[in-house]
Amino acid sequence: MANTAVIGLQWGDEAKGKIVDILTENHDIVVRYQGGANAGHTVVMGGQTFKLSLIPSGIFRSGVQCVIANGVVVHPKTLLVEIEALQARGVRVGNNLTVSSRAHVILPWHVEEDRILNDCPTGEAIGTTLRGIGPCYRDKIGRSHAVRVGDFYESGWRERIIAVAEAKRRMLEPLGVSADNPALDAEAICREYSGYADRLRPFVADTTQFLLDAVDSGKRILFEGAQGALLDIDHGTFPYVTGSNSSGVGISAGSGVPGRHIHKVLGVVKAYCTRVGGGPFPTEQDNDVGQLIRDRGNEYGTVTRRPRRCGWFDAVAARYTARLSGVDALAVMLLDVLSALPEIRICTAYELDGERTERFPDHVERLRRVKPIYESLPGWQREIREARRLTDLPTNARKYLDRLAEVVGRPVEIVSVGPDREQTMFAV
Ligand code: IMP
């Protein structure tokens, strides 16, 4: 009974990488199962900072097998750069990394499509990471223009790339992409991707079968979610979401492991909220409080360096995503960021069209109309980065955590007060 999932319950960037890194100690396999190089996971170890976007954070532990499963969209160049950067810093990346032959591949036209469709939206821009994520998933669902990792090891892949490039040219030319755009140069793309395919070959395998075998033999699997549940393509703040099921519901489809084998789900939240890109954010603080959180939390995107929008903890949203993801317990991250504030607020309900509700709206326009109803708690106004046990925390910080647990409806199991592994406290 030891398979665990780590899911972000907000809009991503909840510092899941740190939690995954800590939990890998008790797991044999770490699996990334959705998203792609839009994710940015930071792991700080012994004063060294590592940034990962595709490789699971388990890569730093010897004896742990890392899997990039079928649900991930792989940008081969980013993956190879990441592998080589880790190797250059002495981190072993070899047969401890496996990439699914079923994973879909991001091609240059996907990045071009992401740019164009982000530029000319029908309303507020989604503000994607411009990594080609949505267009690649669109082709996966559309099927006829999709390319998977395993395709490169079968005959006929060049003809397929050439045919898809031609179809893309016909689609993209009317949108202003010229025929000589390098993103449509089929010959050059075949040369480039054939090189990537050769270099990635040792890593490629049927990860679905591998994981099912691992389940049968009682191996302990850790599922590493990317982004956050509010960005889930089906259950998030659509259309201001990512292209995959980033809540807990995505684990099985993205890995091939049935839900009955996921024994524990840890929901990761920040002690406040952030969001990158467009879309409603009810508790956003576009003021001094937001700026203080941004400065103290270094709230700038790992992938794009965009300043993150910051605000109070939204318990209506977290309660919804905790239920949606089957969360057993919470990890509360970046609690130290709030130490400077004399007063801290939690949104416990919304007012929607004059009525109080504790339900998260199912339409983005209704979410835009909600007014947060806040509860105010006194701050602790003392640095807490040195705390190593929950009893080291000031009373008001513990009261804040207790109230978060109460309003979300899940116990707090882990509390983090800084980026390093040592700055982590466990309730159990
Ligand atoms: P995409 O995933 O690049 O298509 O972007 C869609 C939305 O998800 C945008 O608002 C992005 O800012 C957001 N997003 C994607 N990945 C992350 C992430 O890892 N952290 C936070 N936001 C993300």
Side-chain angles (χ1 to χ4, degrees):
M1 293 285 282
N3 298 337
T4 311
V6 175
I7 305 288
L9 298 186
Q10 297 161 322
W11 281 284
D13 308 315
E14 297 94 350
K16 297 176 290 293
K18 170 174 167 171
I19 295 300
V20 170
D21 175 55
I22 290 168
L23 295 182
T24 44
E25 202 170 346
N26 303 319
H27 292 84
D28 305 300
I29 299 170
V30 182
V31 187
R32 261 293 299 276
Y33 57 88
Q34 45 76 224
N38 49 349
H41 289 175
T42 307
V43 180
V44 179
M45 246 187 320
Q48 281 208 74
T49 303
F50 295 88
K51 292 193 189 297
L52 303 172
S53 63
L54 276 164
I55 297 181
S57 309
I59 200 72
F60 302 103
R61 300 267 180 177
S62 64
V64 167
Q65 186 65 33
C66 290
V67 173
I68 297 176
N70 59 285
V72 174
V73 284
V74 176
H75 188 258
K77 184 176 176 186
T78 304
L79 177 56
L80 285 160
V81 166
E82 211 163 282
I83 291 172
E84 281 159 14
L86 285 171
Q87 288 170 335
R89 292 175 73 184
V91 180
R92 189 175 88 81
V93 188
N95 59 5
N96 54 342
L97 174 69
T98 314
V99 180
S100 173
S101 51
R102 292 184 175 88
H104 282 249
V105 176
I106 297 192
L107 285 136
W109 48 74
H110 291 135
V111 180
E112 206 57 31
E113 286 172 47
D114 210 356
R115 185 183 60 76
I116 291 168
L117 299 173
N118 204 36
D119 269 0
C120 52
T122 46
E124 183 191 356
I126 293 171
T128 75
T129 59
L130 300 176
R131 298 293 190 272
I133 306 294
C136 185
Y137 279 119
R138 184 167 54 222
D139 281 347
K140 171 176 175 172
I141 303 300
R143 288 152 294 162
S144 40
H145 295 150
V147 177
R148 306 206 296 182
V149 169
D151 291 343
F152 288 96
Y153 311 107
E154 302 294 332
S155 59
W157 71 263
R158 282 171 206 275
E159 290 74 13
R160 179 162 177 77
I161 297 274
I162 290 165
V164 176
E166 175 54 20
K168 291 286 177 180
R169 186 190 62 72
R170 279 189 263 116
M171 281 164 50
L172 293 177
E173 255 181 352
L175 295 173
V177 178
S178 72
D180 59 2
N181 187 308
L184 297 172
D185 183 344
E187 291 301 330
I189 292 170
C190 283
R191 273 196 306 279
E192 184 184 342
Y193 275 66
S194 138
Y196 297 151
D198 286 347
R199 287 157 68 196
L200 286 176
R201 188 172 207 131
F203 300 102
V204 177
D206 178 346
T207 60
T208 306
Q209 297 281 0
F210 172 80
L211 291 173
L212 292 174
D213 290 347
V215 164
D216 285 348
S217 59
K219 292 252 168 64
R220 299 161 304 171
I221 307 173
L222 181 61
F223 297 94
E224 175 177 1
Q227 290 85 45
L230 293 170
L231 291 172
D232 187 284
I233 183 78
D234 285 291
H235 306 283
T237 54
F238 191 89
Y240 301 97
V241 293
T242 190
S244 62
N245 284 114
S246 50
S247 72
V249 305
I251 301 171
S252 293
S255 66
V257 176
R260 64 187 298 184
H261 298 299
I262 302 156
H263 307 125
K264 178 165 184 180
V265 181
L266 198 59
V268 188
V269 292
K270 282 179 185 173
Y272 48 92
C273 271
T274 63
R275 175 162 208 174
V276 209
F281 177 1
T283 60
E284 181 168 17
Q285 298 298 300
D286 192 9
N287 53 28
D288 288 352
V289 169
Q291 191 55 46
L292 183 136
I293 292 175
R294 188 173 303 115
D295 290 343
R296 286 186 56 94
N298 187 25
E299 293 294 357
Y300 296 88
T302 317
V303 176
T304 57
R305 296 307 298 161
R306 287 181 289 179
R308 295 181 184 140
R309 301 158 64 193
C310 299
W312 298 118
F313 188 87
D314 185 338
V316 178
R319 195 161 50 230
Y320 164 62
T321 52
R323 294 174 69 208
L324 176 68
S325 298
V327 164
D328 296 290
L330 300 175
V332 178
M333 313 302 287
L334 292 126
L335 183 66
D336 54 300
V337 170
L338 300 183
S339 296
L341 291 161
E343 179 213 6
I344 301 174
R345 293 181 171 191
I346 303 176
C347 165
T348 50
Y350 295 149
E351 188 193 308
L352 174 61
D353 302 335
E355 305 234 338
R356 180 190 160 94
T357 178
E358 293 182 2
R359 297 233 159 208
F360 194 74
D362 60 350
H363 198 285
V364 75
E365 293 310 325
R366 296 173 60 231
L367 186 63
R368 274 192 215 286
R369 293 204 301 276
V370 306
K371 293 192 190 83
I373 298 173
Y374 289 114
E375 224 176 81
S376 173
L377 283 87
W380 45 92
Q381 294 194 275
R382 196 180 101 195
E383 287 305 343
I384 54 172
R385 291 183 178 136
E386 304 302 322
R388 295 295 174 265
R389 287 181 311 262
L390 289 173
T391 47
D392 295 340
L393 290 173
T395 311
N396 284 352
R398 293 177 62 183
K399 280 189 179 159
Y400 181 67
L401 291 171
D402 289 346
R403 189 64 188 138
L404 282 195
E406 218 165 64
V407 290
V408 177
R410 299 293 187 276
V412 172
E413 199 169 285
I414 300 178
V415 178
S416 171
V417 290
D420 233 277
R421 265 188 205 170
E422 299 88 68
Q423 294 170 300
T424 319
M425 292 164 267
F426 299 87
V428 281

